[in-house]
Each structure stands twice: as structure tokens, then as C-alpha cells.
Amino acid sequence: MPKYMTKQRKLLTEYLRHHPDECISARAIADALQNDGISLSAVYRNLAALEAEGKVRRTKQAGASEVLYQYLDVDTCRNVLHLTCTVCGKTFHMPEAHYETIKEFLAKNEQFLLNESETVLYGICADCQKH
């Protein structure tokens, strides 16, 4: 927890809390918070601090150069596997029974302990497969 919660950090954190399952660019965040007087550089600075605290994950979509950020400091996002669509960018939680099966398989057959809070599986969601 930071020693001092600036107004900018508070507004950014509130915004991210309302979008926990989304991967969002710094530019989109800055645009959304523009009326609150938060600059793009302030968004980047605060995202870097939140990432260092383990509250934000930085990611990229396959084939894209833009960095996206996802807020992790909510109970629903801890210790779950995330599925991210490479077409629309939506992120979903894998049902617990499914990711437990994957974790057990990896532990037993590969002697590999999966860190689900750091793992994102990329693919194409059901909605995008229809198009």
C-alpha cells in the first residue's frame, strides 16, 4: 500500500476497480479520466507504481504494439486463470473447476506449479468465433 494516496491515484484506482476484467490501454484510461484533470503521463506513472505493487498486470495482444493494463487488486481476480480474447480484447475468468484440473495436471505430469495470478491464456472467445 502506498504511503500517500494522491487524488490522481485514487481516481485511477477507482476507475480500474470498475473495470476489473478488462485490459485497457493507458491512453483509453487517460481519455476516460480527462475531465478529472489526469494527464497521460500521470496515468503511466501511477500504472507503473500499481504494477510494482502487484495490483496491475501489463499485457499485449498478439500482433499489437500497444500495452494494455488489467487491474488485479480485487478478490474476483485473485488466484484465477484469465482467458483473453486476441480479437476483441475481453478478459474472462476460467471456471475454478477447469483451472484446478489444469493446475493438477501440470503439477502431476510436468512437476510444474502454476502461478494462476500471473497466467493469462490467449485465444478467441465464443462471440468472436461466430463472426
Side-chain angles (χ1 to χ4, degrees), residues 46-58:
N46 282 288
L47 285 170
L50 290 169
E51 183 181 10
E53 295 168 16
K55 295 179 178 181
V56 169
R57 174 182 23 234
R58 185 176 8 166

Side-chain angles (χ1 to χ4, degrees), residues 66-121:
E66 185 174 45
V67 174
L68 302 175
Y69 298 87
Q70 181 185 7
Y71 189 62
L72 301 174
D73 195 34
V74 291
D75 290 336
T76 59
C77 280
R78 289 194 183 151
N79 301 320
V80 298
L81 283 177
H82 289 91
L83 308 172
T84 298
C85 180
T86 57
V87 176
C88 68
K90 288 182 185 174
T91 298
F92 309 89
H93 292 162
M94 178 182 282
E96 184 177 357
H98 297 165
Y99 76 74
E100 286 298 329
T101 301
I102 291 171
K103 282 176 45 180
E104 289 171 13
F105 175 86
L106 291 172
K108 180 179 178 184
N109 297 298
E110 303 296 331
Q111 292 74 50
F112 185 81
L113 298 177
L114 183 67
N115 179 346
E116 59 268 14
S117 66
E118 295 292 326
T119 303
V120 178
L121 301 176

